[in-house]
Amino acid sequence: MAETNTEHVQPASPEPMILAVDDDLEAQYPGHDSAFSRTPIADLESSAELGVDHDTSGFTDEEDEDMHGGFNDNDSTYGGSLIGCDSDTLASYITDYRYENGRRYHAYRDGEYWGPNDEHSNDLQDLAHHMYLMTLEGKLHLAPLDNPHNILDIGTGTGIWAIEMADAYPSAHVIGTDLSPIQPLFVPPNCAFEIEDLNLDWTYSKSQFDFIHIRELFGSVADWDEFFSSAFEHTKPGGYVEVIEHSVLPVSDDGTVNEESFFTLWGKTVVEMGRRFGKSFTIWEESRERLENAGFVDIVEKKYKWPMNGWPSPEYRTHGDDGEKSWQRLREIGVWNQLRLYDGVEGFMLRLLTVAGGWTYDNAQAFLARMREEIKDLKIHAYLNVTVVYGRKPGGKARAGDQPPHPATRSGYVGPEGGWRSTIPEDYQGLP
């Protein structure tokens, strides 16, 4: 059994967080909910903007009294706000984070996700966002959107994509969902965040969203076919779903990665830990087929490559399926990828190895240390495959014409005149 040091630590009490209840939680947490909105109660005079029905007229007097004294354990279908309830208790519940081996993890639906939600991990999520912008030439998406009104970002993390999307489409209402309330409180007025588990029943109206954005949900979804079926059901006719994922198995085009390489062992280990955890890490190569099976049409797949460090040069570069990027661009992506992995492998794998894999803490750390050394080797021309797949739900009104994707507005990646601006010296190849 894993030697995992776990404890619950009550954080210092901030200002009470007032939350609204959207739906029920399954039997594991009787009386709690499957989704919590971080929108203040004062701002929820009308729940219609959240797409949630809060009608409580069907409750008996006894059930209504039970709800206002806490959560109703006998009814799994109620909606309503926490006005009159102990909102401090609920706020404490979702922020009573779990601590394992020195890392902080989500409290709501404890154990459903393998990644930490501490500040270090959040910074690396924002770094990954920068890498995706570099990959997509500063675009927030590739799907051809035409004046979207409702946008959903599933697994929003720090919320950086949702915030920039709200800035790029000021007439759209953007919702980001996640297990952790780690998003900033000051956001554009057309952006909101909700605490929700994507593996539970979706709490939104059918055919509600013009665009559903899915990024880095590898190892997070218990049933991808059911997940995409839900996405299809909640997408408007004519709307799009876009999936952006990368591989966890480093490969090469020149044979410097082979079956005996540590990178191969690493990738196979991640995939196996995902299998034991019950959530696959191979969605990057399955997205197109699964979207087709769900009923989406006009599916487009774009392929890219993320070098493991700054090895690309005029002499060495990838062979195709790399977005036709220059070796300079590939090198810069590789430098950022190396930094992300060097600082992030512990958060990426520690819980999977010790909990799903049953490794000891010391053995897990030795494995991670080996990975940190391998990603410094410029003689190994390894990369991770990246895929962007989007598809349209059939139907909808004829469009006046699809608009080009909007560039990010807050990250500073795209200048006023557009185009790429490198942020590192051309001869820099990464960590020594």
Side-chain angles (χ1 to χ4, degrees), residues 127 130-131 133-134 328-329 331-337 339 411-415 419-429:
L127 173 57
H130 175 69
M131 292 176 59
L133 288 181
M134 293 180 64
Q328 294 97 329
R329 176 69 65 83
R331 173 178 289 185
E332 183 170 8
I333 292 175
V335 167
W336 288 118
N337 195 30
L339 177 61
S411 68
Y413 176 70
V414 177
W420 169 52
R421 296 184 308 188
S422 177
T423 57
I424 62 172
E426 186 174 290
D427 60 350
Y428 182 73
Q429 291 186 273

Side-chain angles (χ1 to χ4, degrees), residues 3-284:
E3 296 179 6
T4 305
N5 177 24
T6 65
E7 61 176 338
H8 284 278
V9 178
Q10 178 65 38
S13 299
E15 283 294 313
M17 186 167 17
I18 308 301
L19 305 171
V21 179
D22 290 343
D23 201 6
D24 64 301
L25 185 68
E26 61 187 15
Q28 183 180 0
Y29 295 96
H32 289 290
D33 313 332
S34 68
F36 305 112
S37 169
R38 300 186 65 209
T39 308
I41 291 294
D43 295 341
L44 292 182
E45 296 178 359
S46 171
S47 301
E49 65 168 321
L50 294 180
V52 179
D53 181 7
H54 292 303
D55 181 16
T56 59
S57 59
F59 289 104
T60 66
D61 291 341
E62 180 180 356
E63 288 172 328
D64 184 68
E65 180 180 355
D66 195 16
M67 272 185 58
H68 285 78
F71 292 102
N72 182 358
D73 291 336
N74 299 317
D75 194 325
S76 62
T77 59
Y78 74 85
S81 77
L82 281 178
I83 296 175
C85 298
D86 188 354
S87 57
D88 288 342
T89 300
L90 179 57
S92 297
Y93 162 64
I94 65 171
T95 58
D96 183 18
Y97 297 124
R98 183 178 182 87
Y99 287 78
E100 294 179 7
N101 297 314
R103 301 305 298 265
R104 191 187 76 184
Y105 297 85
H106 65 95
Y108 174 62
R109 302 282 293 158
D110 181 20
E112 285 295 309
Y113 182 60
W114 40 266
N117 68 359
D118 48 35
E119 288 302 318
H120 184 68
S121 178
N122 298 344
D123 288 344
L124 293 174
Q125 286 190 43
D126 289 345
L127 173 57
H129 176 72
H130 175 69
M131 292 176 59
Y132 281 111
L133 288 181
M134 293 180 64
T135 303
L136 303 185
E137 306 299 328
K139 300 180 180 67
L140 291 166
H141 61 88
L142 296 184
L145 305 184
D146 183 11
N147 191 28
H149 293 167
N150 291 287
I151 297 171
L152 178 64
D153 183 28
I154 305 177
T156 194
T158 64
I160 188 171
W161 183 91
I163 292 170
E164 293 190 357
M165 198 68 172
D167 279 340
Y169 293 94
S171 63
H173 181 51
V174 182
I175 297 175
T177 67
D178 204 271
L179 290 170
S180 294
I182 57 175
Q183 303 78 30
L185 295 177
F186 297 99
V187 299
N190 59 324
C191 181
F193 297 107
E194 298 179 5
I195 308 305
E196 182 156 350
D197 184 352
L198 59 85
N199 288 301
L200 299 181
D201 290 341
W202 292 29
T203 61
Y204 305 103
S205 301
K206 294 181 179 179
S207 301
Q208 178 173 342
F209 297 102
D210 300 281
F211 184 49
I212 297 179
H213 180 252
I214 298 161
R215 189 172 77 182
E216 281 202 11
L217 290 189
F218 54 10
S220 303
V221 178
D223 187 329
W224 280 104
D225 287 333
E226 181 178 343
F227 175 80
F228 284 128
S229 177
S230 295
F232 184 87
E233 187 176 57
H234 291 84
T235 302
K236 289 181 181 178
Y240 283 86
V241 167
E242 182 166 297
V243 186
I244 309 177
E245 298 286 343
H246 69 74
S247 171
V248 296
L249 177 61
V251 295
S252 70
D253 292 332
D254 60 4
T256 52
V257 177
N258 53 50
E259 280 298 311
E260 304 303 317
S261 300
F262 176 79
F263 280 149
T264 302
L265 174 62
W266 169 271
K268 289 181 176 180
T269 302
V270 178
V271 172
E272 173 60 19
M273 292 303 104
R275 186 190 67 80
R276 297 187 187 186
F277 191 60
K279 296 171 181 177
S280 168
F281 278 89
T282 57
I283 187 59
W284 72 273

Side-chain angles (χ1 to χ4, degrees), residues 379-396:
K379 297 188 299 295
I380 302 176
H381 304 148
Y383 61 83
L384 298 174
N385 282 295
V386 180
T387 56
V388 181
V389 183
Y390 61 86
R392 181 178 62 84
K393 183 174 180 177

